[in-house]
Amino acid sequence: MRTAYDVCIIGGGVIGCAIAYYTAKKGLRPLVIEKHTLGSQATQASAGMLGAQVEMERPDPLYRLGLKSRALYGQLRAELQDLCGVDIELRTCGMLRLALSEAERETLLARCDWQTAGGQRAEWLEDEDLRRDIGDLFGPTFGALFLPDDHQVRSVALLRALAAAASELGAAFLEHTEAIGFLREEDRIVGVETNNGRFAANHVVLAAGAWSGLLSQWAGVDLPVLPVKGQSVLAATRTPLTPYTVFTHGTYIVPKVTGHTYIGATMERTGFDQTPTLQGIVRVLSDAVRILPGLGISGLAGQLVGLRPGTEDGLPFLGEVPGVAGLLVATGHLRNGILLAPITGLVMSELIAGENPSVDLAPFGLSRLQGKRP
């Protein structure tokens, strides 16, 4: 058996790399095992939005978790820059959530009220306010909710920075290495078996995104994580049409410092099919051009497809697996993986180190499944 680690993390996306970074910060020795290359699945197709307020429908545990995670980004950016010199390209212009119907207007006005009542910054802009402040960029609207503290990063830059910083702190990474089973001693998970050998560890974290449900069966656990395909488009724009991330129901437009504009995304339950489709492109582009007509003359720089890990109740699974000592899970983030990466990395590192987690993980635990499955 190979050298023992404090923790083996299965999955080298942004969640796995965040766990590696935060555990390495605590002086522990993590190993990340990735079947392909780091960030090659959902992370590479992510828009990088830190939308703690923009799409949360109520002040529930997911909303509170997102706020806590978003608040970590300022310090995280500075730490990563100091450790490895990689800029995660944090943009702080804020987000605009457009209302495209009277019903959406009423929903967003109510959202503005409960968010400001809870101490968050949110401002309602009528259509005439929007056009006075930033010009006639948008198609017809019923107003917009402006969220100055919802930001964005470049997903691949964040992943690269987390991995590089974790390596500086002693983490190890194995790409092109497929996990094929867990190692056991009596009733405890003590490592991971791969196509490149066996690796012993005090803890194992299952952070394999949409594939986590399949891998959980090695431990006799039925983890209900389902793949949700997201198709997006990169538009080539010489200069951003707007500095703001623009969000509507089902569509978001995210200008990047590279000159590209990210337009996304579909939400398709098609199993593990990652095939890009003309139907997906048409839906994404037609909605985007209707919202922001100036995009219509942009060039097409590429199409992105990713399988995001979804759950039936919309909440991620975070924490220890009941009845399976040594095994933890961190998955089910759907399209909030970038937003929730810091808090996920932090609380998982605390559990691994035997500390009390910074947030109450009960709403995100596997115990919530009891009585809900046949």
Side-chain angles (χ1 to χ4, degrees), residues 317-360:
F317 290 110
L318 304 174
E320 299 168 334
V321 177
V324 186
L327 182 63
L328 303 92
V329 295
T331 189
H333 298 77
L334 194 56
R335 61 186 186 189
N336 289 309
I338 301 298
L339 168 65
L340 297 176
I343 195 67
T344 299
L346 176 61
V347 298
M348 298 305 288
S349 72
E350 291 168 339
L351 289 174
I352 292 164
E355 303 168 358
N356 292 324
S358 298
V359 298
D360 178 14

Side-chain angles (χ1 to χ4, degrees), residues 145-296:
L145 182 61
F146 177 52
L147 302 167
D149 298 321
D150 270 358
H151 304 320
Q152 59 144 305
V153 297
R154 192 155 73 94
S155 302
V156 293
L158 174 63
L159 179 126
R160 187 167 65 247
L162 287 168
S167 295
E168 287 291 325
L169 296 173
F173 293 84
L174 283 177
E175 297 179 290
H176 305 290
T177 299
E178 182 179 3
I180 58 176
F182 296 131
L183 303 179
R184 290 177 176 269
E185 285 185 1
E186 298 179 350
D187 61 349
R188 184 177 183 86
I189 302 295
V190 295
V192 178
E193 183 171 2
T194 78
N195 61 335
N196 286 326
R198 295 181 168 191
F199 298 89
N202 296 325
H203 300 86
V204 172
V205 179
L206 186 53
W211 289 265
S212 298
L214 297 177
L215 275 57
S216 70
Q217 296 174 17
W218 298 338
V221 176
D222 184 13
L223 185 65
V225 175
L226 57 136
V228 180
K229 182 164 74 172
Q231 299 190 60
S232 306
V233 170
L234 279 181
T237 49
R238 292 183 179 178
T239 57
L241 295 176
T242 169
Y244 307 107
T245 293
V246 180
F247 200 109
T248 68
H249 180 70
T251 303
Y252 36 87
I253 301 166
V254 189
K256 297 296 182 180
V257 297
T258 58
H260 295 100
T261 297
Y262 183 107
I263 305 168
T266 64
M267 293 273 285
E268 306 169 60
R269 292 194 181 188
T270 56
F272 288 93
D273 175 26
Q274 294 179 267
T275 306
T277 65
L278 293 178
Q279 184 177 13
I281 295 177
V282 169
R283 204 237 79 184
V284 167
L285 290 180
S286 61
D287 287 353
V289 172
R290 177 169 55 90
I291 294 162
L292 193 58
L295 280 173

Side-chain angles (χ1 to χ4, degrees), residues 2-16:
R2 303 280 185 90
T3 305
Y5 294 86
D6 291 300
V7 56
C8 279
I9 302 160
I10 302 176
V14 70
I15 296 298

Side-chain angles (χ1 to χ4, degrees), residues 18 23 50 73 119 158 170 184 187 261 270 297-298 310 373:
T23 52
L50 308 182
Y73 261 98
L158 174 63
R184 290 177 176 269
D187 61 349
T261 297
T270 56
I297 61 172
S298 302
R373 297 181 64 82

